[in-house]
Amino acid sequence: MKILSSIIFLITFIGVQAQESSFTLIAHLKGISNGTDFYLSSLGKSNNSYISTLNEGKVSFSGIVDEPTIYRSQAKTGPYCSIWIDKGIWNLLGDSASFSRTEIMNSKINKEHKAIDNQLDSLWKRYDELYNEADKEENEEEKKLLFNKLSVFSVSIDNIRKMNVFTLEPSYRLMQELYFLRNSLPKDSLRLAFYRFPEAIKNSSNGKYINDFIETETLKIGDLAPDIKGKTLKGDSLKLSDFKGKLVLLDFWAAWCGPCRQSNKQLITLYENYKDKGFEIFSFSIDKKYDAWSKASKDDQIAWANVSDLQGHYSPEALKYRIQAIPKAFLIDKEGEILKEFRGYSEKQNDMILEYLNELNN
């Protein structure tokens, strides 16, 4: 009888817990055809995603959310909107003409989200215009001037965002902003901004990541490369230290990263020519979805060590290298020391690696 009572209690407890963490989102949409499929995908730590079909102008989603989390809502083809979802029942109003500005009614966190977006929208729009102008410019001197102007403009945007994390009311949305700015703030400033937040937000996914990020040392040339591990596409465990004694290029990438994909293709010849001469590539994907990682790996003909923990930017392994923007790579010598750091995609990267390879084989 006691065992039966315990089982009933456990089932009841689990049911209550699930109910307390559940959400229902009901979207009321105008100007969109019935039968249109909509997707709701987490942009946070979880891989949660949902699909539902518009019927009589309404589409609804139900699921579990452990903390306020940002999601992307999107039709199979068409624009998208970013919304924050918390426990409870929420209503969303929107139409086809302004779907990207759709918002959840009576939601404090979404009001905070919209206020920050509205503050920055015109600046990001101008940034995109400048970028397109610079990208299309054929005169090299003019192109350089435009990109310099773009860089100054980007710093101005970041300065506003940094001011926000020190002056606006602490919220889950603001912690996300701090997460995005983590590499733009000195460690002491990052710590001060982090300490403004209440414990509940400090213990959120973004909060825990920022706390760990603060405690992680910035790597420099000559440091020992931290060992990292992951699973291959076949599910085998592989560590960076398995290749000690070789010159190793540790490369962080993802399927969704265009410059990373360019870099992968550039590395094929380099690997083929030097894989039997003491050189290895250790690619670490910060993808969250196995299928995307697998397809990109095959499309890019990755034949070298290629691992992931499928935790995206929240990967504790990638955190050891304070990874944010990718592609990012580290050239590591036979003793495990960092020789060089590469940021972004460059057609000259192979030439720089070749200098070390030539030394290795002389």
Side-chain angles (χ1 to χ4, degrees), residues 109-158:
I109 192 170
N110 279 285
K111 285 182 180 178
E112 294 164 340
H113 177 55
K114 185 178 180 181
I116 292 174
D117 280 359
N118 286 347
Q119 179 193 34
L120 298 171
D121 269 353
S122 60
L123 298 174
W124 283 122
K125 184 178 179 180
R126 180 57 183 148
Y127 178 91
D128 289 340
E129 290 171 351
L130 283 172
Y131 180 87
N132 290 332
E133 186 180 348
D135 191 48
K136 292 175 182 176
E137 179 59 55
E138 294 181 359
N139 182 287
E140 288 302 318
E141 287 299 318
E142 288 296 320
K143 182 186 284 284
K144 186 177 179 180
L145 288 172
L146 285 168
F147 272 114
N148 286 339
K149 186 176 180 180
L150 188 69
S151 179
V152 172
F153 197 78
S154 178
V155 170
S156 299
I157 294 174
D158 273 358

Side-chain angles (χ1 to χ4, degrees), residues 192-236:
L192 282 172
F194 179 72
Y195 286 161
R196 294 184 63 233
F197 290 82
E199 289 302 314
I201 301 179
K202 286 181 185 175
N203 287 318
S204 66
S205 297
N206 283 332
K208 288 177 179 177
Y209 186 94
I210 290 297
N211 186 57
D212 291 340
F213 189 85
I214 290 169
E215 300 305 319
T216 303
E217 293 299 322
T218 302
L219 296 170
K220 59 186 183 297
I221 304 302
D223 283 349
L224 279 175
D227 199 14
I228 63 172
K229 63 183 184 296
K231 294 286 185 68
T232 67
L233 287 165
K234 293 182 179 179
D236 300 322

Side-chain angles (χ1 to χ4, degrees), residues 331-345:
L331 192 62
I332 300 165
D333 72 12
K334 293 191 285 186
E335 303 304 318
E337 291 187 1
I338 297 172
L339 291 171
K340 193 167 185 63
E341 178 182 336
F342 300 96
R343 298 185 182 190
Y345 169 74

Side-chain angles (χ1 to χ4, degrees), residues 289-329:
K289 295 183 179 180
Y290 176 89
D291 289 346
W293 170 41
S294 176
K295 184 179 186 304
S297 298
K298 291 172 184 173
D299 290 347
D300 294 354
Q301 302 175 53
I302 296 179
W304 51 85
N306 177 29
V307 303
S308 181
D309 60 7
L310 296 178
Q311 295 192 50
H313 275 101
Y314 292 91
S315 165
E317 302 300 314
L319 176 61
K320 296 174 185 178
Y321 287 82
R322 296 168 69 92
I323 297 301
Q324 184 168 2
I326 54 172
K328 190 169 185 179

Side-chain angles (χ1 to χ4, degrees), residues 4 7 80 92 137 148-149 172 183 238 257 286-287 324:
L4 180 60
I7 292 172
Y80 68 87
L92 180 151
E137 179 59 55
N148 286 339
K149 186 176 180 180
Y172 285 92
N183 270 316
L238 206 59
C257 169
I286 58 169
D287 283 297
Q324 184 168 2

